Amino acid sequence: VYLDSDDSKANEDYLLTAGGTRIHIYANHGDTVKVTGNGFPCYRWRAESHHPLQKVLNDYRNFENSITDPISKKIREAYEADNVDDELIDRLEIMRDSTDIASSLDYMKDKEFNSAFASELMGIAIESYTSKRKGILSDKISDFIKEKVPDSYKDDEYIWEAKRYSASGDGKLHVGDKMPDYTLYDRDGKEHKLSE
């Protein structure tokens, strides 16, 4: 398990990485944070802190789980059946993924947009793009970004990634495209710009 903070976000935005997946944790400096969960992916784990964005994120997760848990239960049952029906599992996974994305966007559209939602929006776009059902609801994600994401987030790194993964086409950079600049850190914590 690896916990890292993003200094550009005033040490309130942390990433917990385990087994190749990650969750965002919002905490005030000095807070005690309780993280519970088991198995992977860890983005389904639950974190508790006194930070207001953590409550926003937990409310969002509770809603998301209430929508997808019944479908996930059917998927588990299908895997545990004596005769595993791969077509049924594939249909259920498509249903779960598309329902998850659509319901997540519906949940966010009536709420005040914040950095927790920006991070989740990036995750939704990547999930849609990288799954074997590439491009599920990418138009809906793009429309959400255009219509619901405030201008104050237009240069946010999470929104930039969400736009890239939900764009029509293959979402990759090609010869002649402008490479976005990134801040990277070496093992000593020294900052480096990709443009360097």
mmCIF file with all atom_site columns, all heavy atoms in Angstrom, residues 21 24 39 101 173 177 194:
data_model
loop_
_atom_site.group_PDB
_atom_site.id
_atom_site.type_symbol
_atom_site.label_atom_id
_atom_site.label_alt_id
_atom_site.label_comp_id
_atom_site.label_asym_id
_atom_site.label_entity_id
_atom_site.label_seq_id
_atom_site.pdbx_PDB_ins_code
_atom_site.Cartn_x
_atom_site.Cartn_y
_atom_site.Cartn_z
_atom_site.occupancy
_atom_site.B_iso_or_equiv
_atom_site.pdbx_formal_charge
_atom_site.auth_seq_id
_atom_site.auth_comp_id
_atom_site.auth_asym_id
_atom_site.auth_atom_id
_atom_site.pdbx_PDB_model_num
ATOM 1  N N   . THR A 1 21  ? -4.425  -0.440 -8.251  1.00 0.00 ? 21  THR A N   1
ATOM 2  C CA  . THR A 1 21  ? -5.568  0.472  -8.285  1.00 0.00 ? 21  THR A CA  1
ATOM 3  C C   . THR A 1 21  ? -5.406  1.477  -7.157  1.00 0.00 ? 21  THR A C   1
ATOM 4  O O   . THR A 1 21  ? -4.576  1.315  -6.280  1.00 0.00 ? 21  THR A O   1
ATOM 5  C CB  . THR A 1 21  ? -6.913  -0.270 -8.146  1.00 0.00 ? 21  THR A CB  1
ATOM 6  O OG1 . THR A 1 21  ? -6.937  -0.953 -6.889  1.00 0.00 ? 21  THR A OG1 1
ATOM 7  C CG2 . THR A 1 21  ? -7.123  -1.249 -9.281  1.00 0.00 ? 21  THR A CG2 1
ATOM 8  N N   . HIS A 1 24  ? -8.814  7.924  -3.910  1.00 0.00 ? 24  HIS A N   1
ATOM 9  C CA  . HIS A 1 24  ? -8.519  9.253  -3.383  1.00 0.00 ? 24  HIS A CA  1
ATOM 10 C C   . HIS A 1 24  ? -9.013  9.313  -1.955  1.00 0.00 ? 24  HIS A C   1
ATOM 11 O O   . HIS A 1 24  ? -10.085 8.795  -1.634  1.00 0.00 ? 24  HIS A O   1
ATOM 12 C CB  . HIS A 1 24  ? -9.242  10.330 -4.207  1.00 0.00 ? 24  HIS A CB  1
ATOM 13 C CG  . HIS A 1 24  ? -8.438  10.806 -5.354  1.00 0.00 ? 24  HIS A CG  1
ATOM 14 N ND1 . HIS A 1 24  ? -8.584  10.282 -6.606  1.00 0.00 ? 24  HIS A ND1 1
ATOM 15 C CD2 . HIS A 1 24  ? -7.472  11.744 -5.431  1.00 0.00 ? 24  HIS A CD2 1
ATOM 16 C CE1 . HIS A 1 24  ? -7.736  10.890 -7.416  1.00 0.00 ? 24  HIS A CE1 1
ATOM 17 N NE2 . HIS A 1 24  ? -7.054  11.779 -6.739  1.00 0.00 ? 24  HIS A NE2 1
ATOM 18 N N   . GLY A 1 39  ? -9.795  -6.979 -0.687  1.00 0.00 ? 39  GLY A N   1
ATOM 19 C CA  . GLY A 1 39  ? -9.852  -7.390 -2.083  1.00 0.00 ? 39  GLY A CA  1
ATOM 20 C C   . GLY A 1 39  ? -9.526  -6.233 -3.007  1.00 0.00 ? 39  GLY A C   1
ATOM 21 O O   . GLY A 1 39  ? -9.267  -5.115 -2.580  1.00 0.00 ? 39  GLY A O   1
ATOM 22 N N   . ILE A 1 101 ? -21.564 4.053  -15.107 1.00 0.00 ? 101 ILE A N   1
ATOM 23 C CA  . ILE A 1 101 ? -21.173 5.323  -15.715 1.00 0.00 ? 101 ILE A CA  1
ATOM 24 C C   . ILE A 1 101 ? -22.361 6.273  -15.804 1.00 0.00 ? 101 ILE A C   1
ATOM 25 O O   . ILE A 1 101 ? -22.281 7.429  -15.397 1.00 0.00 ? 101 ILE A O   1
ATOM 26 C CB  . ILE A 1 101 ? -20.547 5.077  -17.107 1.00 0.00 ? 101 ILE A CB  1
ATOM 27 C CG1 . ILE A 1 101 ? -19.203 4.360  -16.944 1.00 0.00 ? 101 ILE A CG1 1
ATOM 28 C CG2 . ILE A 1 101 ? -20.366 6.396  -17.860 1.00 0.00 ? 101 ILE A CG2 1
ATOM 29 C CD1 . ILE A 1 101 ? -18.654 3.795  -18.233 1.00 0.00 ? 101 ILE A CD1 1
ATOM 30 N N   . LEU A 1 173 ? -2.196  10.393 -28.232 1.00 0.00 ? 173 LEU A N   1
ATOM 31 C CA  . LEU A 1 173 ? -1.455  11.451 -28.901 1.00 0.00 ? 173 LEU A CA  1
ATOM 32 C C   . LEU A 1 173 ? -0.832  10.877 -30.170 1.00 0.00 ? 173 LEU A C   1
ATOM 33 O O   . LEU A 1 173 ? -0.410  9.725  -30.204 1.00 0.00 ? 173 LEU A O   1
ATOM 34 C CB  . LEU A 1 173 ? -0.347  11.979 -27.990 1.00 0.00 ? 173 LEU A CB  1
ATOM 35 C CG  . LEU A 1 173 ? -0.817  12.792 -26.795 1.00 0.00 ? 173 LEU A CG  1
ATOM 36 C CD1 . LEU A 1 173 ? 0.347   13.036 -25.849 1.00 0.00 ? 173 LEU A CD1 1
ATOM 37 C CD2 . LEU A 1 173 ? -1.406  14.111 -27.252 1.00 0.00 ? 173 LEU A CD2 1
ATOM 38 N N   . ASP A 1 177 ? 0.777   16.195 -32.553 1.00 0.00 ? 177 ASP A N   1
ATOM 39 C CA  . ASP A 1 177 ? -0.072  16.686 -31.476 1.00 0.00 ? 177 ASP A CA  1
ATOM 40 C C   . ASP A 1 177 ? 0.791   17.375 -30.421 1.00 0.00 ? 177 ASP A C   1
ATOM 41 O O   . ASP A 1 177 ? 1.956   17.029 -30.218 1.00 0.00 ? 177 ASP A O   1
ATOM 42 C CB  . ASP A 1 177 ? -0.832  15.536 -30.792 1.00 0.00 ? 177 ASP A CB  1
ATOM 43 C CG  . ASP A 1 177 ? -1.916  14.946 -31.664 1.00 0.00 ? 177 ASP A CG  1
ATOM 44 O OD1 . ASP A 1 177 ? -2.208  15.538 -32.727 1.00 0.00 ? 177 ASP A OD1 1
ATOM 45 O OD2 . ASP A 1 177 ? -2.452  13.889 -31.297 1.00 0.00 ? 177 ASP A OD2 1
ATOM 46 N N   . LEU A 1 194 ? 7.947   17.853 -17.582 1.00 0.00 ? 194 LEU A N   1
ATOM 47 C CA  . LEU A 1 194 ? 8.155   17.054 -18.778 1.00 0.00 ? 194 LEU A CA  1
ATOM 48 C C   . LEU A 1 194 ? 8.775   17.900 -19.888 1.00 0.00 ? 194 LEU A C   1
ATOM 49 O O   . LEU A 1 194 ? 9.614   17.428 -20.658 1.00 0.00 ? 194 LEU A O   1
ATOM 50 C CB  . LEU A 1 194 ? 6.815   16.471 -19.243 1.00 0.00 ? 194 LEU A CB  1
ATOM 51 C CG  . LEU A 1 194 ? 6.884   15.459 -20.377 1.00 0.00 ? 194 LEU A CG  1
ATOM 52 C CD1 . LEU A 1 194 ? 7.716   14.257 -19.982 1.00 0.00 ? 194 LEU A CD1 1
ATOM 53 C CD2 . LEU A 1 194 ? 5.477   15.006 -20.742 1.00 0.00 ? 194 LEU A CD2 1
#
